[in-house]
């Protein structure tokens, strides 16, 4: 039954989002064409870049709007009565929405990353062969860093999806149903702030970090906390400045240590919000 739910959800959302991806590709190709034909006219090269930037921003926002509205309409809007009475578990209903939500967000993120590389490509007057070199420069080549970014992207996408679904579900309980849209926004902001605060604390104080070499760009794991890495870098910079007041002092490791503890809190909140949302869907929600 989960397969049928997924097929229905992808069909409902797949009519418009791929077209928006194609729109970004068209903007890039038009910008590249204008750059080749009108390379001596400044406005002809700048305007396509501006349009691509705006199109990329619009794509990101548009994706969120489409999938959030789809969840609301299918669960608590006009389709809600039918959806809630289907002979399937609440876990299957929630899982199908989560899978669709995350799939489209990851797809959009990938398109946006390539669009950013495209913007740099158009702005830097690069050769076509340099396009993927620009991607490597922008997003790095370290396997450790790539793995971290991949896990962090998936975890943050899942977490935001559950924050949205939990907030909408809570707003559709009897106490808040009259102004459910407004309460959805309020609950999302509150949930987001709470989760982010825990994430920042975990990032700073859980003893697991990735330290990036500022010269080679290589990344290594460390069992120090990010707070310790920052403190050590500051102390090292102060000692260096004290020993040689005339020297230029840089505290490079301050910004080159990344605490990965926030991923653990993301996983924890994903589990908590899943069961809270499932409970609300099963026992507390009302459909307009």
């Amino acid at each position: 039954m989960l397969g049928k739910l997924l097929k229905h959800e992808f069909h409902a959302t797949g009519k418009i989002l791929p077209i928006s991806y194609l729109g970004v590709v068209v903007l890039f190709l038009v910008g590249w064409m204008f750059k080749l034909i009108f390379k001596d006219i400044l406005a002809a090269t700048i305007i396509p870049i501006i349009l691509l930037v705006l199109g990329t921003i619009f794509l990101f926002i548009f994706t969120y709007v489409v999938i959030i509205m789809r969840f609301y309409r299918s669960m608590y809007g006009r389709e809600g009565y039918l959806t809630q009475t289907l002979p399937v578990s609440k876990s299957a209903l929630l899982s199908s929405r989560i899978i669709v939500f995350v799939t489209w967000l990851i797809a959009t993120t990938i398109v946006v990353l390539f669009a950013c590389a495209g913007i740099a490509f158009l702005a830097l007057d690069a050769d076509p062969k340099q396009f993927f070199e620009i991607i490597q420069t922008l997003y790095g080549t370290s396997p450790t860093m790539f793995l971290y970014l991949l896990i962090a992207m998936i975890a943050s996408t899942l977490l935001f999806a559950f924050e949205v679904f939990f907030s909408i579900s809570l707003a559709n309980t009897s106490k808040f149903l009259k102004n459910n849209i407004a309460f959805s926004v309020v609950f999302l902001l509150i949930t987001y702030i709470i989760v982010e605060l825990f994430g920042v604390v975990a990032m700073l104080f859980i003893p697991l970090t990735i330290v990036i070499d500022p010269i080679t760009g290589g990344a290594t794991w460390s069992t120090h906390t990010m707070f310790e890495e920052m403190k050590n870098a500051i102390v090292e910079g102060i000692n260096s400045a004290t020993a040689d007041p005339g020297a230029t002092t840089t505290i490079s490791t301050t910004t080159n240590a990344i605490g990965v503890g926030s991923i653990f809190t993301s996983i924890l909140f994903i589990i908590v919000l899943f069961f809270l949302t499932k409970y609300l869907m099963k026992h507390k929600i009302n459909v307009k």
Side-chain angles (χ1 to χ4, degrees):
M1 193 63 184
L2 178 61
K4 292 182 178 179
L5 291 172
L6 287 172
K7 182 179 179 181
H8 179 71
E9 289 304 306
F10 276 118
H11 182 265
T13 53
K15 296 177 182 178
I16 189 168
L17 287 175
I19 296 176
S20 63
Y21 299 158
L22 181 61
V24 172
V25 174
V26 170
L27 284 174
F28 168 72
L29 293 176
V30 170
W32 188 15
M33 182 182 68
F34 268 64
K35 179 181 175 181
L36 294 174
I37 298 174
F38 306 106
K39 59 182 179 180
D40 296 327
I41 303 175
L42 183 60
T45 57
I46 292 179
I47 292 176
I49 294 174
I50 294 174
L51 291 177
L52 182 57
V53 170
L54 295 177
T56 303
I57 296 172
F58 172 80
L59 171 63
F60 207 75
I61 297 172
F62 182 68
T63 302
Y64 277 97
V65 171
V66 168
I67 52 185
I68 289 173
M69 290 304 298
R70 174 60 195 166
F71 174 77
Y72 172 76
R73 289 171 180 169
S74 65
M75 296 300 297
Y76 307 117
R78 293 180 179 179
E79 298 179 38
Y81 287 104
L82 175 61
T83 303
Q84 300 291 348
T85 55
L86 288 173
V88 294
S89 66
K90 301 301 181 185
S91 294
L93 287 174
L94 184 56
S95 297
S96 65
R97 270 66 183 177
I98 286 294
I99 292 172
V100 172
F101 192 110
V102 171
T103 300
W104 285 123
L105 279 188
I106 291 177
T108 298
T109 301
I110 293 172
V111 174
V112 167
L113 291 177
F114 272 93
C116 291
I119 292 168
F121 172 78
L122 294 176
L124 296 175
D125 194 25
D127 185 88
K129 296 179 181 178
Q130 295 177 291
F131 180 77
F132 289 100
E133 294 179 7
I134 291 174
I135 292 177
Q136 287 184 338
T137 302
L138 288 175
Y139 307 122
T141 57
S142 168
T144 301
M145 197 62 194
F146 177 79
L147 178 63
Y148 165 74
L149 291 175
L150 179 63
I151 295 174
M153 180 181 71
I154 294 173
S156 62
T157 303
L158 267 172
L159 180 58
F160 184 75
F162 277 112
E163 290 172 356
V164 170
F165 291 176
F166 168 73
S167 301
I168 293 176
S169 298
L170 182 59
N172 279 275
T173 56
S174 57
K175 292 182 179 180
F176 310 108
L177 187 61
K178 188 176 180 180
N179 298 295
N180 59 345
I181 295 178
F183 278 113
S184 295
V185 175
V186 172
F187 292 147
L188 178 58
L189 288 174
I190 294 173
T191 305
Y192 179 81
I193 291 172
I194 292 172
V195 170
E196 287 301 306
L197 286 175
F198 276 94
V200 169
V201 172
M203 180 178 67
L204 288 174
F205 296 105
I206 288 182
L208 186 62
T209 58
I210 296 175
V211 180
I212 303 173
D213 190 306
I215 299 175
T216 65
T220 57
W221 293 96
S222 170
T223 54
H224 295 109
T225 66
M226 184 175 175
F227 181 78
E228 289 174 331
E229 294 284 351
M230 294 171 64
K231 182 181 69 174
N232 292 339
I234 293 172
V235 170
E236 181 182 337
I238 292 174
N239 291 338
S240 176
T242 303
D244 188 1
T248 301
T249 303
T250 59
I251 308 176
S252 59
T253 52
T254 302
T255 56
N256 292 334
I258 302 174
V260 300
S262 56
I263 292 179
F264 299 112
T265 59
S266 294
I267 295 172
L268 175 62
F269 275 107
I270 285 169
I271 296 171
V272 171
L273 291 173
F274 175 83
F275 285 104
L276 285 176
T277 305
K278 179 182 173 182
Y279 173 79
L280 290 172
M281 290 173 62
K282 191 173 183 179
H283 300 286
K284 298 293 183 180
I285 61 98
N286 290 271
V287 179
K288 276 190 174 182

